[in-house]
Amino acid sequence: MSVRELVVLGTASQVPTRYRNHNGYLLRWDGEGFLFDPGEGTQRQLIHAGVSSTDVTKICITHFHGDHCLGLAGISQLLSLDGCPHPVHVFYPASGEKYYNRLRRASIYHDRAEVHGHPITESAATTNLHEIWSGEVSGKGLALSVLSLSHGVPTLGYRIEERAGWTMLPDKLAAAGLRGPVIKQLQLDGFVELDGGQRVNIQDVAKPRRGQVVAFVMDTRLCDNAFELARGADMLICESTYLEEDRQRAKDNGHLTAKQAAEIAKQAGARTLVLTHFSRRYERTASFVDEAREVFTDGEVIAARDFDVLGLPKRDRPKKKAGADAKPG
């Protein structure tokens, strides 16, 4: 069954609170499980969320500040303990290689999971999206790309993009006399030639289907690359450590406000903005939603809470606005 959803495992920034664990986000994409920034306590959060460690196929670390990576030690051990049956690929900034190695083997355990590290050099992702993985999921092409962000240490933003395709139109297929294996050939080649010499192009019997996009922008000041990562995203998961009243503090510490996250979403044409990575100075998150909505008026704004499960918006479903989060976030 096709499942595309974000499981929120933690929404705190540097220090966890009573209501927020360190960072952690699992994006289910059909048969893939992308685990972003596993902070301290992530393996326990997985258990509470009812998620198996073996659902994880990729781990994406933006940078090596503790709230974005300390959970890698526990996850590494859990993958081995649970006998993960498939390889797990870990992507991270190359400058943090020594921290990656320390976390992977932080204590004694029987390391029997197949885990592959993929250091990404900052120069490769400075000005243009740099594709670091691609494959087919549920018969559709999928690509994972990165761009550098503006933080105090080398930091990567991630973008998952489904290749554009076609939605077949049954009535037009029938009118053209196409059925069975020839339709697969049409999808592969873009055209078929019938016995009578007639040529049928895919655009004659199908309509273009835009691929879905998810962007993950964490720990950064406003920068061009943040906008590029979020371009046309169905879901933008974006740090909003501070409110606008602390804008200078955000800039000094290499972070965004909720308003700035909304500016990225608006200019990039995103559909859903998921705010997260909240400073412990704020007990509630309703003000984050209010602030973001003043700017991002065309899409949905959500202040993420630990254990939220957020489905990716359907491609053709109209945008709607979500209610503000009135509970401690």
Side-chain angles (χ1 to χ4, degrees):
M1 182 175 67
S2 175
V3 177
R4 297 184 183 184
E5 62 187 17
L6 178 71
V7 181
V8 181
L9 302 170
T11 57
S13 54
Q14 186 176 30
V15 179
T17 73
R18 292 176 61 191
Y19 300 105
R20 304 181 194 125
N21 196 72
H22 262 175
N23 278 284
Y25 313 86
L26 178 72
L27 178 65
R28 298 184 190 271
W29 194 296
D30 300 346
E32 294 284 344
F34 297 87
L35 178 61
F36 291 94
D37 279 3
E40 182 181 350
T42 294
Q43 66 169 319
R44 186 171 184 270
Q45 297 295 94
L46 285 173
I47 294 168
H48 277 289
V51 176
S52 170
S53 67
T54 58
D55 290 342
V56 177
T57 60
K58 309 284 186 296
I59 299 176
C60 303
I61 296 174
T62 59
H63 64 295
F64 283 95
H65 280 153
D67 53 320
H68 297 262
C69 68
L70 286 176
L72 180 61
I75 292 296
S76 295
Q77 297 185 37
L78 190 61
L79 289 170
S80 287
L81 184 64
D82 290 347
C84 186
H86 53 255
V88 174
H89 298 271
V90 187
F91 303 95
Y92 56 91
S95 61
E97 181 81 34
K98 63 181 179 181
Y99 302 110
Y100 168 77
N101 290 327
R102 290 172 185 171
L103 289 165
R104 279 277 293 120
R105 294 166 183 84
S107 64
I108 300 170
Y109 72 103
H110 183 34
D111 189 3
R112 61 193 182 101
E114 187 180 346
V115 178
H116 302 282
H118 300 276
I120 311 300
T121 58
E122 189 175 17
S123 60
T126 301
T127 57
N128 296 300
L129 278 168
H130 175 57
E131 188 174 297
I132 57 175
W133 173 84
S134 63
E136 279 213 357
V137 183
S138 298
K140 299 171 184 174
L142 195 65
L144 176 66
S145 301
V146 294
L147 267 175
S148 296
L149 294 172
S150 176
H151 194 42
V153 299
T155 301
L156 299 173
Y158 290 86
R159 178 181 172 94
I160 297 174
E161 186 166 3
E162 183 181 35
R163 306 294 191 193
W166 297 89
T167 297
M168 310 308 291
L169 302 174
D171 55 338
K172 292 193 174 184
L173 289 171
L178 301 180
R179 62 181 181 180
V182 71
I183 296 177
K184 182 65 174 178
Q185 180 186 345
L186 176 66
Q187 292 173 318
L188 291 173
D189 298 337
F191 71 94
V192 291
E193 293 185 354
L194 305 182
D195 292 340
Q198 179 187 1
R199 178 186 172 109
V200 179
N201 296 312
I202 194 167
Q203 57 264 36
D204 300 329
V205 293
K207 63 179 181 180
R209 185 192 70 242
R210 185 182 67 85
Q212 287 186 300
V213 175
V214 172
F216 189 80
V217 175
M218 204 61 54
D219 283 33
T220 185
R221 303 173 183 87
L222 275 181
C223 63
D224 290 344
N225 283 354
F227 291 90
E228 179 61 20
L229 285 162
R231 177 175 43 82
D234 295 277
M235 179 179 285
L236 166 60
I237 304 146
C238 191
E239 74 117 305
S240 57
T241 310
Y242 298 101
L243 291 172
E244 193 65 15
E245 64 194 32
D246 291 312
R247 186 184 185 100
Q248 188 59 49
R249 185 187 298 271
K251 182 179 179 180
D252 293 343
N253 293 333
H255 288 293
L256 299 172
T257 67
K259 181 179 180 180
Q260 290 173 322
E263 289 170 355
I264 294 171
K266 179 180 180 178
Q267 293 189 38
R271 296 183 62 198
T272 298
L273 171 61
V274 180
L275 303 172
T276 188
H277 196 268
F278 306 110
S279 168
R280 63 175 173 172
R281 68 179 47 239
Y282 310 103
E283 183 179 353
R284 298 176 180 270
T285 56
S287 296
F288 286 79
V289 175
D290 293 341
E291 185 170 288
R293 280 192 184 146
E294 291 179 3
V295 174
F296 185 52
T297 57
D298 293 333
E300 186 174 12
V301 178
I302 299 169
R305 297 176 297 182
D306 291 24
F307 306 120
D308 274 353
V309 179
L310 308 173
L312 266 65
K314 301 297 184 183
R315 293 183 186 88
D316 299 323
R317 182 170 295 178
K319 300 173 183 177
K320 62 180 181 179
K321 294 183 179 181
D325 171 17
K327 297 164 60 178

